[in-house]
């Protein structure tokens, strides 16, 4: 039973769902307006966990062939046979998307529900099915999934978006390419074997590392914008500290492209994101 539970959790990519919930709560926290009821916040969290899990499951289901080629994905349950590969999974994924989206629509509002749906749709369909195997822009466009989580949370408070959640959603949009292109440099041979046209595969590590640096610089600049729309000094400190660290690592990678520095930059992107989002919440709780 423990192994089955582990395989189910792997299939539904729980960590990604939790990260999406966190970003949605950040969007909720920064939006001016009356605080939602606790049950509404919990409903939103449940909807994002389930719909993001369904999108993650569809990703596993659709990518079973290329997952078997890449070392980092060879242990996924559809590849190993730990979970049966059956079209019934598609019905489950659809249910786990439509049901929570419908509940958010009915009990909260249509705008929040739409953005919960778009988050799952962009990851499960736009990225996984339409773009991943076709273009190096796959993760750029597919990265909108994280931005929609911020907007889903903001819409719970106010369906008419103010500039602040839009600015933060744009920061999340810019974060994704630097994050995944760094991973793609570190694991380039695996992406080549799977014929996935990530930027380092189609353009080379040198071009990709420079694109990462340019994108990270734009990301850091964009992360300062929320300060001018009402975020405080705690937020600005977190944005500059995390952004400066990420930018320094990206600069190292641009001067010396390679797997080791790329993986270091990938980890730096996680540090930057956690510092940024934590600073958002700290700024709301401890205004100075």
């Amino acid at each position: 039973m423990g192994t089955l539970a582990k395989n189910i959790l792997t299939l539904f990519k729980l960590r990604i769902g939790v990260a999406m919930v966190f970003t949605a709560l950040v969007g909720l926290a920064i939006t001016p307006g009356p605080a939602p009821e606790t049950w509404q916040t919990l409903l939103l969290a449940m909807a994002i966990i389930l719909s993001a899990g369904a999108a993650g499951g569809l990703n596993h289901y659709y990518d079973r062939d290329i997952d078997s080629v890449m070392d980092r994905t060879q242990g996924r349950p559809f590849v190993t046979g730990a979970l049966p590969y059956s079209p019934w999974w598609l019905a489950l994924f659809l249910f786990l998307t439509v049901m929570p989206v419908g509940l958010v629509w009915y009990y909260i509002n249509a705008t929040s529900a739409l953005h919960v749906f778009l988050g799952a749709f962009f990851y499960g369909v736009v990225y996984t099915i339409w773009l991943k195997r076709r273009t190096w822009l796959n993760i750029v466009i597919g990265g909108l999934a994280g931005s929609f989580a911020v907007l889903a949370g903001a819409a719970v408070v106010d369906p008419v978006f103010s500039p602040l959640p839009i600015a933060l959603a744009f920061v999340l949009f810019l974060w994704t390419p630097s994050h995944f292109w760094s991973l793609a440099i570190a694991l380039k041979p695996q992406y080549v074997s799977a014929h996935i046209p990530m930027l380092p595969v189609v353009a080379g590590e040198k071009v990709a590392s420079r694109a990462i640096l340019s994108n990270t610089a734009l990301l850091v600049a964009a992360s300062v914008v929320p300060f001018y729309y009402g975020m405080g000094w705690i937020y600005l400190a977190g944005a500059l500290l995390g952004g400066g660290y990420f930018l320094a690592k990206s600069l190292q990678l641009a001067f010396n492209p390679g797997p080791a520095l790329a993986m270091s930059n990938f980890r730096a992107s996680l540090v930057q994101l956690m510092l940024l989002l934590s600073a958002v919440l700290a700024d709301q709780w401890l205004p100075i």
Side-chain angles (χ1 to χ4, degrees):
M1 186 63 181
T3 301
L4 177 61
K6 181 180 178 181
N7 286 324
I8 293 292
L9 292 177
T10 299
L11 174 66
F12 290 110
K13 297 190 175 184
L14 183 61
R15 286 181 294 180
I16 292 179
V18 171
M20 292 299 98
V21 169
F22 188 38
T23 58
L25 294 178
V26 166
L28 187 154
I30 65 174
T31 302
E37 299 287 342
T38 301
W39 66 266
Q40 291 178 312
T41 302
L42 292 175
L43 175 59
L44 176 69
M46 179 274 293
I48 291 174
I49 285 284
L50 293 179
S51 60
L58 179 61
N59 177 270
H60 278 221
Y61 186 91
Y62 188 79
D63 282 349
R64 184 183 65 156
D65 57 336
I66 57 177
D67 283 347
S68 66
V69 176
M70 299 181 68
D71 291 342
R72 80 181 188 94
T73 55
Q74 286 179 345
R76 289 180 171 176
F78 286 141
V79 176
T80 63
L83 294 176
Y85 187 77
S86 164
W88 285 105
W89 285 105
L90 298 178
L92 177 61
F93 300 150
L94 181 61
F95 173 76
L96 291 178
T97 302
V98 173
M99 182 271 292
V101 167
L103 290 175
V104 172
W105 188 299
Y106 186 81
Y107 287 106
I108 300 178
N109 62 57
T111 305
S112 185
L114 175 63
H115 286 85
V116 172
F117 169 77
L118 288 174
F121 181 76
F122 263 73
Y123 184 74
V125 178
V126 174
Y127 168 67
T128 299
I129 297 177
W130 293 351
L131 300 178
K132 184 175 181 179
R133 306 181 191 216
R134 290 182 172 88
T135 172
W136 65 270
L137 291 171
N138 48 21
I139 203 62
V140 177
I141 301 171
L144 280 167
S147 300
F148 287 127
V150 174
L151 298 178
V156 175
V157 179
D158 186 356
V160 180
F161 297 123
S162 63
L164 188 52
I166 293 174
L168 191 60
F170 185 60
V171 171
L172 266 293
F173 171 72
L174 291 174
W175 176 83
T176 306
S178 294
H179 174 73
F180 278 102
W181 287 340
S182 296
L183 181 65
I185 291 177
L187 303 180
K188 181 181 174 182
Q190 297 185 42
Y191 284 103
V192 170
S193 298
H195 303 290
I196 301 173
M198 299 296 281
L199 183 62
V201 174
V202 301
E205 296 177 5
K206 187 174 182 179
V207 171
S209 64
R210 290 178 177 176
I212 290 169
L213 177 60
S214 298
N215 187 77
T216 303
L218 184 58
L219 163 67
V220 175
S223 70
V224 176
V225 172
F227 176 72
Y228 295 98
Y229 284 104
M231 296 303 298
W233 292 102
I234 295 177
Y235 168 79
L236 183 62
L240 292 177
L241 181 62
Y245 176 67
F246 192 13
L247 191 58
K249 289 291 186 179
S250 295
L251 189 62
Q252 288 181 345
L253 177 62
F255 277 108
N256 189 19
L261 285 178
M263 185 56 71
S264 179
N265 202 52
F266 173 79
R267 296 190 184 100
S269 71
L270 296 172
V271 172
Q272 185 268 340
L273 182 63
M274 290 308 300
L275 276 173
L276 182 80
L277 297 181
S278 298
V280 171
L281 296 179
D283 195 83
Q284 298 300 301
W285 294 334
L286 303 169
I288 59 173

